[in-house]
């Protein structure tokens, strides 16, 4: 029995109309089985060039998201304009049954796919980008700066910034920026400024290049550069696309819609599966199911699928660590491989980071979240399988979730159990064709 039966999270009722965008975001924090460890200052921070990391974060972040990070209410109203924008981009996104994949696998399991890949920029990232751009416009901010790994978040920020009349500066993990010229072209066509990280444009980038560390770039190097950029530009605010509480809160539209859609079909999930990097699509997808996890215990599997090249949840340590290799961020407690971990070159840019969300760390540490890691070749093989059966090409990050769903469905075939497996398809793979071609 998991610790799930030992705490009482806030229930999230299924919406009466699955065609409606949720009216509120769900705040996971009050429903966790333990407190989220607070961020800390690194030892000696008062004596180095960056000073208080916590004070820096207060200065460069949006007021509204800082308030959401500290919110204690279980439900936070979605502003009317944000809700309208979410509806305009196609929310609620479809929940489709993968019948052809089921037939191919000869499984009695019923596999459902939550299709975040159909949104305008091809991923779930717009859910938070729209919210944060709205808050920035309300605050009178001129420019947003951020990091991106695979480019999905950068693409979403560029789209949302243009929608709200803002400028956007994107620091992009260098290896992924080089692998995805098509996505870079789209981001720049939307008016954003893009810089491969590490770069010569910021103190953090210069230090990394000088010391010869993390030269391939990663989400961590891009985070450090984006923060140092914001520190030097008072008219700019830094926004995040993962890890932090407010981002997971914004993504709970995914899980709330899934609950309503499954209820309309008379279904109840036995397994929820999502890929996990920083943790925002997983947290947003699974967060609204915490009360059901508490009720059902091992009867509801929450499964995160990560990259074997960045195996934080399966091989990492639950510890305080910086989110960037230069140590510009405050220390956060989650599963980490260590900020000095040199991430190998892969096409799975969205999962290439050494640390993750403290909220996901609590779920994993309390035994509520299972995890599995997959090699890159295996996930691209799964992507080709989904294309050949369902006709959809999904992002390599999302292929991790589909690989876990396929493995679960094979187990169901062997046991004869007709369980319901729901996977979050977090992104589209049409801009990842070079990765697919490299793994033919």
């Amino acid at each position: 029995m998991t610790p799930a039966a030992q705490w009482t999270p806030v229930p999230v009722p299924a919406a009466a109309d699955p065609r409606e965008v949720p009216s509120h975001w769900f705040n996971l924090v009050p429903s966790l089985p333990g407190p989220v460890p607070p961020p800390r200052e690194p030892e000696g921070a008062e004596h180095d060039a960056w000073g208080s990391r916590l004070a820096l974060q207060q200065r460069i972040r949006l007021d509204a998201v800082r308030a959401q990070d500290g919110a204690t209410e279980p439900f936070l109203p979605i502003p009317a304009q944000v809700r309208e924008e979410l509806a305009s981009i196609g929310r609620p996104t479809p929940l489709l049954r993968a019948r052809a994949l089921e037939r191919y696998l000869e499984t009695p399991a019923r596999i459902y796919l939550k299709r975040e890949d159909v949104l305008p920029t091809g991923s779930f990232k717009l859910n938070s980008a729209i919210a944060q751009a709205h808050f920035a416009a309300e605050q009178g901010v001129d420019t947003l700066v951020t990091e991106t790994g695979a480019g999905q978040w950068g693409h979403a920020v560029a789209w949302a910034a243009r929608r709200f009349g803002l400028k956007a500066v994107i620091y992009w993990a260098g290896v992924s920026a080089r692998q995805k010229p098509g996505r870079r072209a789209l981001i720049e066509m939307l008016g954003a400024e893009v810089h491969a990280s590490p770069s010569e444009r910021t103190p953090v980038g210069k230090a990394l290049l000088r010391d010869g560390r993390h030269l391939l770039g990663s989400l961590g190097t891009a985070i450090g550069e984006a923060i140092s950029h914001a520190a030097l530009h008072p008219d700019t605010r830094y926004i995040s696309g993962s890890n932090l509480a407010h981002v997971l809160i914004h993504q709970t539209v995914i899980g709330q819609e899934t609950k309503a859609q499954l209820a309309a079909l008379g279904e109840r999930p036995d397994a929820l599966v999502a890929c996990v990097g920083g943790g925002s699509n997983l947290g947003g997808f699974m967060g609204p199911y915490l009360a059901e996890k508490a009720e059902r215990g091992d009867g509801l599997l929450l499964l995160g699928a990560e990259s074997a090249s960045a195996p934080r949840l399966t091989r990492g340590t639950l510890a305080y660590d910086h989110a960037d290799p230069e140590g510009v961020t405050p220390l956060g407690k989650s599963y980490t491989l260590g900020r000095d971990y040199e991430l190998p070159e892969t096409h799975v840019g969205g999962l290439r980071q050494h640390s993750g969300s403290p909220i996901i760390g609590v779920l994993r540490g309390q035994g509520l979240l299972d995890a599995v890691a997959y090699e890159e070749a295996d996930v691209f093989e799964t992507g080709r399988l989904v294309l050949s059966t369902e006709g959809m090409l999904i992002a390599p990050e999302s292929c991790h979730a589909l690989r876990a769903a396929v493995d679960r469905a094979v187990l169901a075939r062997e046991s004869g159990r007709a369980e319901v497996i729901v996977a979050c398809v977090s992104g589209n793979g049409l801009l990842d064709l070079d990765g697919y071609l490299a793994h033919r």
Side-chain angles (χ1 to χ4, degrees):
M1 176 64 68
T2 71
Q6 301 171 11
W7 98 108
T8 54
V10 177
V12 180
D17 189 344
R19 298 167 297 180
E20 292 292 325
V21 176
S23 61
H24 288 69
W25 288 304
F26 176 62
N27 183 5
L28 288 73
V29 175
S31 286
L32 294 175
V36 178
R40 292 179 180 172
E41 296 281 10
E43 185 176 352
E46 66 275 15
H47 301 302
D48 67 23
W50 293 103
S52 169
R53 273 59 166 185
L54 296 174
L56 175 61
Q57 291 292 312
Q58 291 283 316
R59 180 164 66 84
I60 65 176
R61 287 192 179 275
L62 297 169
D63 296 341
V65 303
R66 288 194 288 109
Q68 288 185 329
D69 281 342
T72 57
E73 305 92 337
F75 296 97
L76 304 176
I78 301 177
Q81 185 181 16
V82 173
R83 198 162 178 248
E84 290 169 7
E85 290 289 343
L86 293 176
S88 75
I89 63 171
R91 301 217 71 90
T93 54
L95 180 74
L96 301 180
R97 185 169 168 188
R99 295 180 184 273
L101 180 60
E102 292 171 9
R103 288 194 295 270
Y104 175 86
L105 297 173
E106 298 180 336
T107 179
R110 299 188 292 283
I111 304 172
Y112 289 92
L113 308 178
K114 181 59 171 167
R115 297 287 306 277
E116 296 296 296
D117 60 302
V118 302
L119 294 174
T121 61
S123 85
F124 75 105
K125 293 290 190 178
L126 266 182
N127 302 326
S128 187
I130 286 172
Q132 295 193 61
H134 165 80
F135 292 141
E138 277 199 331
Q139 192 175 322
V141 169
D142 175 75
T143 304
L144 298 175
V145 64
T146 194
E147 70 282 337
T148 193
Q152 292 178 344
W153 171 243
H155 190 178
V157 169
W159 190 99
R162 189 174 186 87
R163 190 80 155 201
F164 285 87
L166 308 172
K167 299 173 186 174
V169 180
I170 315 294
Y171 286 89
W172 191 352
V175 62
S176 291
R178 292 186 288 273
Q179 289 170 344
K180 305 174 195 292
R183 191 179 293 280
R184 179 170 190 149
L186 282 172
I187 294 173
E188 292 178 336
M189 287 168 66
L190 286 165
E193 185 181 310
V194 183
H195 306 289
S197 177
S199 76
E200 291 280 0
R201 296 185 58 85
T202 70
V204 165
K206 290 176 181 178
L208 293 170
L209 292 171
R210 180 183 64 247
D211 298 342
R213 296 184 296 122
H214 305 282
L215 296 182
L216 285 174
S218 67
L219 191 63
T221 69
I223 288 172
E225 290 215 74
I227 289 174
S228 61
H229 179 108
L232 297 172
H233 296 81
D235 60 339
T236 297
R237 289 295 178 270
Y238 167 67
I239 63 172
S240 295
S242 195
N243 284 27
L244 299 177
H246 65 270
V247 186
L248 275 67
I249 287 169
H250 300 160
Q251 296 298 350
T252 59
V253 293
I254 304 173
Q256 291 185 73
E257 289 176 7
T258 302
K259 283 181 73 77
Q261 291 163 328
L262 286 172
L265 295 169
E267 293 277 38
R268 185 172 76 157
D270 298 296
L272 296 172
V273 187
C275 66
V276 57
S280 59
N281 94 97
L282 182 148
F285 179 50
M286 299 180 187
Y289 281 92
L290 289 177
E292 190 166 338
K293 177 66 175 175
E295 174 191 346
R296 296 173 60 189
D298 294 336
L300 175 60
L301 174 69
L302 305 181
L303 181 59
E306 64 181 4
S307 168
S309 66
R312 294 168 306 280
L313 297 181
T314 53
R315 294 178 56 191
T317 302
L318 183 60
Y320 272 96
D321 195 9
H322 293 283
D324 72 292
E326 197 63 12
V328 177
T329 53
L331 293 165
K333 189 174 184 180
S334 189
Y335 283 86
T336 180
L337 298 166
R339 66 176 170 136
D340 293 328
Y341 184 83
E342 289 278 357
L343 294 155
E345 180 172 350
T346 69
H347 286 273
V348 190
L351 307 185
R352 280 185 76 253
Q353 55 193 110
H354 67 272
S355 64
S357 166
I359 290 176
I360 303 303
V362 172
L363 294 175
R364 177 68 169 159
Q366 291 290 328
L368 302 172
L369 177 67
D370 285 45
V372 63
Y374 291 109
E375 298 290 344
E376 186 169 86
D378 295 331
V379 299
F380 277 107
E381 178 185 22
T382 302
R384 290 193 295 272
L385 170 62
V386 174
L387 176 64
S388 67
T389 54
E390 297 296 329
M392 51 186 284
L393 188 69
I394 63 176
E397 293 81 9
S398 308
C399 288
H400 289 71
L402 267 293
R403 179 69 181 214
V406 166
D407 287 350
R408 185 77 185 178
V410 170
L411 289 175
R413 180 183 68 201
E414 294 170 354
S415 68
R417 184 171 180 232
E419 66 177 20
V420 175
I421 303 166
V422 188
C424 183
V425 182
S426 58
N428 187 287
L430 289 176
L431 294 174
D432 297 287
L433 284 174
D434 285 346
Y436 275 95
L437 292 175
H439 287 86
R440 284 183 294 188

